């Protein structure tokens, strides 16, 4: 039965849920964003990070195991099950024994310290199934966790991701830029600047960065400055060609302690910024494209959501670039999901559409969850109508629980008879007056219109 979208079929994109393996495989999801290196900085601008592991409920299948920091609202679980989404009863493991999780709580650390939760996982796994530990990102914590699970389960546990040194290497943007140039993948014109730091971790001299501004800012009137490490735009600055903007950026950088290396690049007028999600199998296995979306970005280039199908003209070139770097990652021992952020622009001299690589995320990314939802829902449609488009976004609301959200907007939730509607997830964050939303429908225009209508309702709260 064909349940793929027309765009995925034409472009050879695989359903993301197929990479989880068949019935003989159990995935153990430990999707903690708190394993990111700069989580303390992210926690300062984003609340409720301890709730984020429940996002993997919309990725998991019925026999998979999802670990969360604290209990998920039972009414929300019932809602997901009414759509055929998520694991079976009992396969959601709460790991915060006698600990009240907060935005700095690490799920892997909690699980390693909770023997009862480890025993529950052992009781939930079947002897004839391959066990895979599926983290948000593979760091030293997750490698340690996989070894502990092997001891408790008495069997091999396969970890998705690269070794922690490789993941750390790719997480630093200056390394990615250098590797892209080596492999012939286009990046914006620019320089890598290494600063000298004082004992307090702050830069001693910003002259090298200011000199880079002067080298490149006249080309388009703007440059982008990126700290080598930083997620969700947390270390990114846009600099205009005027003294005030330059002074403000230098002042901001002078007070930071998160980066020693910065990249200064010419900023072009980006038409669209696609995210390409690849899945890399170990050794000489397959390298599959499992998702392509356009990113929804703020004026400061901070990620706010995704829309599918994408609109870029250079999709094939972008996929080829992603394949090239994925092959290198594979030779270095990486396995699992990796996200590539690209930009598309019109070349000012030739008038042709060109692309460039912006960054790589060697982990699960935000687009994974909405793409997984679409693939799951299309498989459940059993003859249609099938979903052909989605839009996902972070949403603010005054609804403080899933019950309140359902009462206010349940009439807009996904309807299997029409193949369209809204599916909320990350609903634990309703405690912080926010959640994530996926809007499904037949076309980009339809899901955009549905989302705009929903935002109008939110504004009336």
């Amino acid at each position: 039965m064909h349940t793929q979208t027309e765009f995925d079929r034409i472009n050879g994109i695989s359903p993301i849920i197929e990479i989880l393996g068949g019935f003989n495989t159990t995935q153990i999801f430990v999707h903690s964003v708190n394993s990111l290196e700069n989580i303390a900085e992210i926690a300062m601008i984003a609340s409720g990070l301890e709730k984020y592991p429940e996002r993997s409920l919309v990725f998991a299948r019925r026999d998979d195991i999802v670990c969360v920091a604290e209990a998920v609202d039972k009414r929300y679980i019932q809602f997901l099950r009414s759509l055929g989404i998520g694991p079976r009863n009992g396969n959601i493991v709460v790991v915060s024994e006698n600990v009240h999780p907060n935005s700095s709580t690490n799920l892997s650390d909690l699980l390693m310290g909770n023997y009862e939760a480890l025993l529950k996982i052992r009781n939930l796994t079947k002897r004839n199934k391959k066990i895979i530990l599926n983290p948000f990102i593979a760091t030293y914590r997750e490698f340690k966790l996989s070894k502990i699970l092997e001891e408790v389960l008495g069997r091999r546990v396969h970890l998705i991701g690269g070794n922690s040194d490789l993941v750390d290497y790719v997480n630093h943007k200056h390394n990615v830029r250098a590797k892209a140039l080596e492999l012939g993948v286009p990046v914006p014109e620019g320089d890598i600047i290494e600063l000298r730091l004082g004992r307090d971790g702050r830069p001693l001299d910003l002259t090298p960065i200011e000199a880079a501004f002067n080298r490149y800012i006249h080309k388009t009137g703007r440059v982008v400055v990126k700290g080598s490490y930083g997620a969700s735009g947390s270390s990114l600055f846009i600099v205009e060609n005027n003294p005030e903007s330059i002074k403000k950026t230098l002042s901001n950088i002078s007070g930071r302690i998160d980066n020693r290396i910065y990249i200064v690049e010419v900023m072009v007028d980006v038409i669209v910024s696609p995210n390409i999600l690849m899945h890399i199998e170990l050794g000489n296995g397959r390298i599959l494209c499992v998702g392509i979306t356009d990113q929804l970005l703020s004026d400061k280039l901070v990620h706010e959501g995704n829309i599918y199908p994408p609109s870029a003209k250079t999709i094939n070139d972008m996929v080829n670039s992603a394949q090239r770097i994925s092959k290198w990652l594979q030779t270095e021992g990486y396995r699992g999901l990796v996200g590539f952020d690209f930009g598309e622009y019109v070349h000012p001299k030739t008038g042709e559409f060109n692309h460039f690589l912006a960054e790589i995320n060697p982990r699960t990314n935000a687009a994974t969850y909405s793409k997984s939802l679409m693939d799951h829902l299309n498989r459940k449609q059993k003859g249609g109508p099938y979903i052909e488009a989605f839009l996902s976004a972070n949403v603010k609301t005054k609804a403080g629980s899933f019950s309140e959200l359902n009462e206010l907007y349940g009439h807009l939730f996904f309807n299997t008879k029409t193949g369209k509607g809204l599916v909320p997830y990350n609903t634990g964050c309703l405690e912080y007056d926010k959640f994530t939303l996926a809007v499904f429908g037949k076309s980009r225009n339809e899901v955009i219109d549905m989302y705009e209508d929903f935002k109008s309702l939110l504004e009336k709260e």
Side-chain angles (χ1 to χ4, degrees):
M1 181 187 300
H2 257 324
T3 58
Q4 277 187 284
T5 63
E6 181 180 4
F7 179 85
D8 281 7
R9 289 197 302 271
I10 291 173
N11 291 279
I13 299 171
S14 302
I16 194 169
I17 54 178
E18 284 189 0
I19 66 174
L20 298 176
F23 293 110
N24 63 340
T25 302
T26 295
Q27 300 273 340
I28 302 174
F29 289 89
V30 186
H31 277 210
S32 179
V33 298
N34 289 340
S35 286
L36 292 170
E37 180 182 322
N38 64 330
I39 193 61
E41 181 186 355
I42 296 174
M44 292 176 65
I45 58 176
S47 57
L49 299 180
E50 73 278 8
K51 309 286 187 178
Y52 280 41
E54 78 167 53
R55 293 187 295 180
S56 57
L57 288 171
V58 302
F59 194 2
R61 303 159 303 171
R62 184 169 173 78
D63 287 334
D64 291 330
I65 298 168
V66 172
C67 297
V68 292
E70 56 188 346
V72 181
D73 190 324
K74 291 181 179 179
R75 286 153 294 194
Y76 178 62
I77 295 172
Q78 290 169 357
F79 165 73
L80 289 182
R81 286 184 182 141
S82 73
L83 297 176
I85 303 297
R88 68 171 73 245
N89 281 327
N91 279 35
I92 301 174
V93 178
V94 180
V95 303
S96 56
E97 181 185 38
N98 299 322
V99 176
H100 182 66
N102 55 48
S103 288
S104 63
T105 302
N106 186 282
L107 193 64
S108 296
D109 286 340
L110 287 178
L111 181 53
M112 284 187 282
N114 188 339
Y115 193 64
E116 285 189 15
L118 292 169
L119 287 179
K120 183 174 182 180
I121 290 174
R122 185 177 70 181
N123 293 334
L124 289 171
T125 57
K126 298 178 181 178
R127 297 301 304 178
N128 62 338
K129 290 198 173 190
K130 180 179 180 180
I131 306 299
I132 296 179
L133 179 61
N134 187 318
F136 179 75
I137 185 171
T139 70
Y140 71 91
R141 287 187 177 93
E142 286 66 40
F143 275 87
K144 185 177 178 181
L145 174 58
S146 69
K147 296 302 181 186
I148 290 175
L149 281 169
E150 284 186 339
E151 293 175 6
V152 175
L153 272 57
R155 54 199 291 202
R156 175 80 183 277
V157 173
H158 303 265
L159 175 65
I160 289 179
N163 65 68
S164 54
D165 289 340
L166 176 62
V167 170
D168 181 66
Y169 179 90
V170 177
N171 268 328
H172 286 80
K173 297 178 181 63
H174 73 285
N175 293 330
V176 169
R177 178 183 171 86
K179 182 56 65 174
L181 288 169
E182 178 186 324
L183 297 175
V185 172
V187 294
E189 186 179 4
D191 287 334
I192 296 171
I193 309 295
E194 186 170 351
L195 301 175
R196 291 187 302 112
L197 304 180
R199 290 183 177 180
D200 60 358
R202 291 178 170 81
L204 291 173
D205 180 15
L206 294 177
T207 303
I209 286 188
E210 189 172 7
F213 290 172
N214 294 330
R215 280 195 295 276
Y216 296 111
I217 205 164
H218 68 279
K219 292 181 180 290
T220 64
R222 292 181 298 173
V223 294
V224 176
V225 186
K226 298 182 287 188
S228 184
Y229 192 91
S232 301
S234 59
S235 64
L236 184 147
F237 307 92
I238 298 172
V239 188
E240 305 285 345
N241 191 12
N242 63 68
E244 293 79 13
S245 181
I246 293 172
K247 182 179 179 181
K248 181 179 179 181
T249 302
L250 291 173
S251 177
N252 283 332
I253 293 173
S254 69
R256 298 177 72 98
I257 59 173
D258 56 336
N259 277 287
R260 176 176 54 88
I261 299 175
Y262 285 84
I263 303 169
V264 178
E265 294 177 336
V266 174
M267 185 172 181
V268 297
D269 291 324
V270 173
I271 301 168
V272 64
S273 180
N275 172 265
I276 294 182
L277 192 60
M278 306 292 289
H279 183 262
I280 301 169
E281 293 183 350
L282 198 60
N284 294 316
R286 299 173 301 171
I287 297 175
L288 301 173
C289 180
V290 295
I292 306 176
T293 55
D294 288 345
Q295 296 185 91
L296 303 178
L297 301 175
S298 71
D299 292 340
K300 295 183 179 181
L301 304 184
V302 175
H303 178 268
E304 294 183 339
N306 298 79
I307 186 167
Y308 167 95
S311 59
K313 304 292 190 298
T314 57
I315 286 293
N316 289 337
D317 294 333
M318 293 177 187
V319 172
N320 288 336
S321 291
Q323 285 272 5
R324 200 174 303 171
I325 296 178
S326 294
K327 187 61 182 176
W328 167 75
L329 285 169
Q330 188 181 55
T331 62
E332 295 295 317
Y334 189 90
R335 63 173 296 190
L337 292 170
V338 56
F340 295 82
D341 292 342
F342 289 96
E344 180 176 86
Y345 66 102
V346 176
H347 194 283
K349 293 183 178 179
T350 67
E352 295 179 346
F353 288 92
N354 286 342
H355 79 286
F356 65 86
L357 177 67
E359 68 175 272
I360 301 175
N361 292 305
R363 55 175 172 80
T364 307
N365 66 14
T368 303
Y369 304 104
S370 44
K371 177 58 162 61
S372 299
L373 254 176
M374 183 180 73
D375 289 345
H376 277 306
L377 290 172
N378 270 344
R379 286 198 170 186
K380 301 293 181 181
Q381 286 300 89
K382 297 180 180 178
Y386 294 117
I387 300 163
E388 294 287 345
F390 70 78
L391 184 153
S392 62
N394 300 317
V395 178
K396 292 184 178 180
T397 178
K398 292 181 181 178
S401 67
F402 179 73
S403 291
E404 289 182 36
L405 193 70
N406 185 41
E407 184 177 342
L408 289 169
Y409 307 114
H411 62 289
L412 300 174
F413 287 176
F414 184 79
N415 187 325
T416 57
K417 293 181 180 178
T418 62
K420 64 181 182 180
L422 319 180
V423 178
Y425 59 99
N426 214 20
T427 57
C429 284
L430 287 168
E431 182 179 321
Y432 298 91
D433 301 322
K434 64 181 182 178
F435 67 103
T436 310
L437 179 73
V439 185
F440 297 105
K442 277 292 185 184
S443 68
R444 275 178 65 109
N445 287 339
E446 182 176 56
V447 296
I448 290 172
D449 289 344
M450 292 168 65
Y451 178 59
E452 292 299 326
D453 289 344
F454 182 64
K455 283 202 299 183
S456 297
L457 291 177
L458 290 172
E459 290 169 1
K460 296 176 182 178
E461 286 185 352

